[in-house]
Amino acid sequence: MKMKNHSIHINFKVCAKTMKVCIFCSANNAIDAVFFRKTEELGRYLAERGHILVYGGCNQGLMECVSKACALAGGHTIGVVPSLVESGISASEYMDERIDVSTLSERKQKMMDISDVFIALPGGIGTLDEVFSVAASATIGYHTKKVILYNIGGFWNQTLLMLDDLRLRGMLRGELSRYIVSADSLEELDALLAG
């Protein structure tokens, strides 16, 4: 069955260049349906803007959702796949390029190396690990790339409060907005990517 290519009817700013946008997100299927709707919208948006999707290469949850939406809208996808996967989880069929790695740490580093910017969708421990690894590397000068917390349905509110508390206690190095920012809508996300 051929899928319809749904366009997003938002006046997005023109980005100066094509970017490799890395998505961190859940590989679980039993999560709120709104997360899937917004993730599908994001996948189509990345394709329509000409950005390249970099992701964990898994065929489950929001990972599969974003890659499928991007691929079906004509976008280019790069999956970074660790050799050890959980039972029942395998590699996605929506990869134009596949990079095989041995461990999750290697996957994280490869994604960090090849991507220009990172977007964190709802996720669990793995997503938190990825977000904070990228941010920690930025704080000590390994790169100047940002993580955007896509705050779908307020998912990242508690994390943002925790980060603000750390800032108030003097525990963060430098200005938080240099390495972690948030967006509550696709329009806000688009402005951050274009800026």
Side-chain angles (χ1 to χ4, degrees):
M1 180 171 104
K2 187 160 172 83
M3 299 292 289
K4 281 175 64 177
N5 182 1
H6 300 280
S7 359
I8 301 169
H9 302 292
I10 300 172
N11 289 325
F12 293 115
K13 296 178 183 176
V14 176
C15 292
K17 64 173 187 162
T18 296
M19 291 186 286
K20 286 184 178 168
V21 179
C22 183
I23 302 295
F24 299 139
C25 61
S26 175
N28 291 327
N29 288 320
I31 56 177
D32 196 317
V34 71
F35 299 151
F36 285 96
R37 286 195 301 274
K38 293 295 187 179
T39 298
E40 183 180 352
E41 180 183 59
L42 176 61
R44 289 194 309 265
Y45 160 82
L46 292 173
E48 291 174 7
R49 301 302 292 139
H51 297 310
I52 296 166
L53 167 66
V54 177
Y55 75 113
C58 163
N59 72 344
Q60 298 286 317
L62 300 183
M63 271 197 230
E64 179 77 343
C65 180
V66 73
S67 61
K68 181 178 180 180
C70 184
L72 292 179
H76 188 83
T77 63
I78 300 173
V80 184
V81 184
S83 59
L84 181 62
V85 293
E86 292 179 48
S87 175
I89 296 178
S90 57
S92 173
E93 64 182 85
Y94 297 101
M95 287 184 278
D96 294 302
E97 295 179 53
R98 176 176 171 153
I99 300 171
D100 289 297
V101 294
S102 299
T103 65
L104 289 175
S105 294
E106 208 179 313
R107 175 170 79 173
K108 195 168 46 178
Q109 187 61 54
K110 177 57 78 174
M111 292 164 89
M112 212 181 311
D113 290 344
I114 68 174
S115 301
D116 299 306
V117 66
F118 306 87
I119 298 172
L121 300 176
I125 291 171
T127 301
L128 288 170
D129 176 48
E130 291 162 336
V131 165
F132 290 124
S133 291
V134 171
S137 295
T139 65
I140 55 179
Y142 284 110
H143 62 78
T144 57
K145 303 170 186 180
K146 285 189 180 180
V147 177
I148 303 168
L149 302 178
Y150 191 9
N151 198 22
I152 299 168
F155 181 85
W156 293 109
N157 285 350
Q158 295 303 311
T159 304
L160 291 165
L161 285 172
M162 179 196 70
L163 288 169
D164 195 45
D165 184 56
L166 290 174
R167 181 188 60 78
L168 291 171
R169 293 171 185 265
M171 295 294 178
L172 299 182
R173 184 176 307 183
E175 192 59 40
L176 179 64
S177 62
R178 286 187 315 143
Y179 43 91
I180 296 181
V181 292
S182 66
D184 291 331
S185 67
L186 192 55
E187 293 88 344
E188 288 182 15
L189 192 58
D190 179 63
L192 288 168
L193 292 175

